[in-house]
Amino acid sequence: MEEKKRILSGIKPSGELTLGSYMGALKNWAAMADEYDCFYFLADLHAITVRQNPAELRRRTLSQLAQYIACGIDPEKNTIFIQSHIPAHTELGWVLDCYTMFGELSRMTQFKDKSAKNADNINAGLFTYPSLMAADILLYQADLVPVGDDQKQHVELTRDVAQRFNNVYGETFKLPEPFIPKVGARIMSLQHPENKMSKSESDSGGCILLMDSPEDIRRCFKRAITDSEMCVRCCKDKPGVSNLMQIYAVCTGKTMEEIEKEFAGRGYGEFKTAVGDVVVETLAPIREEATRLLADKAYLESVYRAGAEKASAVAERTLRKVYKKVGFVAR
Ligand code: TRP
């Protein structure tokens, strides 16, 4: 039997998970468990490139773990772990810093965006973020890295760094491919549908959080921005309506044509209520399960401990190989 390809991905616990995280990532991650050997982690080391409140970060990390599982990522079938539990990430991160060029890091759009947004805290970690991310991926010899569009550049840099290292020291790292899902990849803001749905917008109603109450979710969809055409149709110049259709499609499994037919001649009010309802139906069981798991600290602990054990066995092997190749004396 051919070995399963390995998948690796992670999300920073720097904000709450959103409907966009679910539709663009978690739902797809959960579906890949049978076909692939999946590693999913909580990127807490990456979260501190922006200042965090310690108690909040700890709470959010555990809550994110509970939400991963509630979204269907089964700890029995996937390796789920917390990044900071595996020292090899920071260790390989440092080595890769020495094989990543200043010029390359300077060109990263995420660095440029984040330094513009955090002008008072442009720290070195924000700058070298991509080499830590390269370490996350290369430690596990991942074949595929499911990421949103915005992370493609980082996966490409990872390939360049891996290739550079392999050229000097011989085959060490597998070259990973970015893996960008076709459907539901990009859920947009309900208030500014030209922008990606972002947790920074959860106060203004543009963003749905996975843990939002049914009433909040329904209210946000009622207020969602549409247009003046009064026709449920998916196209470029109808970003608001197209986004709502996309969300409806992911929740119901219906095609765009089916949705157009279903709402032909009906108003936006009815359409928006229907979208709100199917989102509530989709998220309610996830929220309930996450709440239940979050109350069971012993269970969550058993999940991240078992995950760390599996992950560190793989990560340590790669790190030993790297240390040997660069010429460090074995202890
Ligand atoms: N940089 C990713 C983000 O901001 C999170 C991340 C960190 C990641 N390391 C990773 C994603 C490794 C995929 C693989 O969303």
Side-chain angles (χ1 to χ4, degrees):
M1 200 186 80
E2 215 186 307
E3 272 210 27
K4 284 183 182 175
K5 287 199 171 178
R6 183 167 290 156
I7 282 201
L8 173 129
S9 198
I11 300 177
K12 297 188 293 282
S14 52
E16 302 297 328
L17 294 172
T18 69
L19 181 64
S21 331
Y22 174 67
M23 295 190 162
L26 297 165
K27 184 177 152 82
N28 300 318
W29 293 3
M32 295 192 282
D34 292 326
E35 202 179 331
Y36 298 95
D37 179 20
C38 301
F39 285 66
Y40 299 122
F41 69 103
L42 298 103
D44 56 350
L45 294 172
H46 279 102
I48 64 164
T49 51
V50 173
R51 193 80 74 236
Q52 301 292 331
N53 171 308
E56 268 294 294
L57 178 60
R58 199 169 291 118
R59 180 199 64 75
R60 235 190 274 114
T61 304
L62 290 175
S63 170
Q64 187 173 309
L65 173 63
Q67 291 174 64
Y68 274 19
I69 302 168
C71 285
I73 302 172
D74 180 350
E76 302 288 324
K77 293 195 197 159
N78 301 271
T79 305
I80 310 176
F81 65 97
I82 298 176
Q83 188 186 23
S84 64
H85 289 177
I86 316 290
H89 287 250
T90 28
E91 293 169 311
L92 183 62
W94 167 251
V95 174
L96 296 183
D97 273 344
C98 302
Y99 296 82
T100 310
M101 300 301 129
F102 184 87
E104 287 175 312
L105 293 172
S106 312
R107 284 193 290 276
M108 294 292 116
T109 44
Q110 183 168 303
F111 172 68
K112 291 191 239 171
D113 288 352
K114 292 223 167 169
S115 14
K117 276 188 202 141
N118 302 283
D120 55 340
N121 186 21
I122 307 177
N123 58 72
L126 201 58
F127 188 64
T128 60
Y129 184 114
S131 35
L132 179 60
M133 177 158 164
D136 300 338
I137 297 168
L138 299 176
L139 274 176
Y140 299 92
Q141 308 287 353
D143 297 280
L144 299 169
V145 183
V147 283
D149 247 358
D150 58 323
Q151 294 297 315
K152 212 174 138 200
Q153 197 185 26
H154 288 161
V155 181
E156 274 153 13
L157 178 65
T158 301
R159 284 174 65 90
D160 292 343
V161 172
Q163 183 88 66
R164 183 173 301 141
F165 194 95
N166 288 351
N167 284 345
V168 179
Y169 299 102
E171 208 51 34
T172 309
F173 297 123
K174 183 168 266 173
L175 299 190
E177 302 272 355
F179 186 61
I180 297 170
K182 288 175 283 303
V183 265
R186 250 170 105 74
I187 299 301
M188 312 306 275
S189 158
L190 302 183
Q191 288 299 319
H192 304 280
E194 60 288 351
N195 301 330
K196 196 171 142 179
M197 182 177 278
S198 142
K199 39 217 170 197
S200 60
E201 257 199 280
S202 51
D203 292 336
S204 56
C207 178
I208 304 288
L209 302 181
L210 281 193
M211 300 300 274
D212 276 346
S213 69
E215 303 74 58
D216 285 342
I217 296 173
R218 289 204 172 88
R219 180 153 16 86
C220 287
F221 279 98
K222 281 210 178 89
R223 291 178 37 213
I225 294 295
T226 49
D227 52 58
S228 53
E229 196 198 31
M230 289 307 251
C231 172
V232 176
R233 192 165 54 83
C234 182
C235 70
K236 256 212 158 66
D237 46 308
K238 293 168 72 69
V241 171
S242 302
N243 186 43
L244 293 171
M245 289 177 75
Q246 184 78 30
I247 294 170
Y248 194 74
V250 177
C251 290
T252 59
K254 292 178 184 169
T255 65
M256 290 296 159
E257 296 78 59
E258 285 169 335
I259 300 170
E260 272 181 36
K261 270 202 201 113
E262 183 176 349
F263 293 98
R266 294 162 70 183
Y268 281 159
E270 241 184 289
F271 172 54
K272 293 198 284 187
T273 303
V275 183
D277 286 344
V278 293
V279 171
V280 166
E281 244 170 76
T282 305
L283 295 190
I286 293 175
R287 174 166 170 256
E288 280 157 30
E289 178 66 358
T291 306
R292 191 183 69 76
L293 293 171
L294 202 49
D296 191 349
K297 291 283 181 308
Y299 172 71
L300 291 180
E301 202 174 289
S302 74
V303 168
Y304 64 66
R305 286 206 175 139
E309 203 142 308
K310 283 197 274 174
S312 71
V314 180
E316 280 297 323
R317 255 187 93 210
T318 304
L319 185 71
R320 288 305 132 216
K321 206 155 86 172
V322 168
Y323 272 20
K324 193 168 167 200
K325 293 203 175 193
V326 299
F328 294 160
V329 174
R331 191 171 125 191

